[in-house]
Amino acid sequence: MNHGIKTVLHPVADLGKAKAVYAALLETQPSADSEWYVGFDVAGQHIGLVPGGGPQGLTGPTAYWHVDDIEAKLAEVTAAGATVKDQPNDVGGGRLVASFTDADGNLLGLVQDK
C-alpha cells in the first residue's frame, strides 16, 4: 500500500542557515538536529535538511513515498520503466529507504517503516 509522500529531503549548503529558514517557515523547532541531518515533523510530514546532499548525493528536493513493502514497490516501478538508484538500505530503527529515477531521470524515494 502507498501511504503518500510523507518525507521530503532538501540538500543544503549551510545547515545552520537552512535550519533557521525552515524553522521560521514550518513554525516549529527540529525533531532531529545533528551536524549531518536536521529534520522537522509538521502536519504529518517529515522535512529533512541534508548538508551537501549527503551520501545520497541529492542535488534537489526529493520526495519519498511511504509504502508497506519496499521490495514489491521497487519491482513494480522498475517493471514500469524506472531505474533503481539505491537499493533498500536500513537507515536505523528498521526503517528501509530506497531511491529510483523515473523515465525522465527525476529522483524519487521510497520509505518502509517496520
Side-chain angles (χ1 to χ4, degrees), residues 35-92:
E35 64 186 44
W36 54 270
Y37 185 82
V38 171
F40 297 87
D41 291 307
V42 63
Q45 292 185 322
H46 183 79
I47 307 302
L49 308 177
V50 185
Q56 307 94 320
L58 300 178
T59 59
T62 303
Y64 285 78
W65 276 262
H66 287 235
V67 298
D68 289 334
D69 186 337
I70 201 167
E71 294 285 355
K73 187 55 71 177
L74 268 180
E76 194 177 324
V77 298
T78 55
T83 302
V84 174
K85 179 180 181 290
D86 297 305
Q87 291 290 336
N89 180 40
D90 190 324
V91 295

Side-chain angles (χ1 to χ4, degrees), residues 12-19 51-52:
V12 298
D14 184 317
L15 192 58
K17 288 180 181 178
K19 180 169 58 172

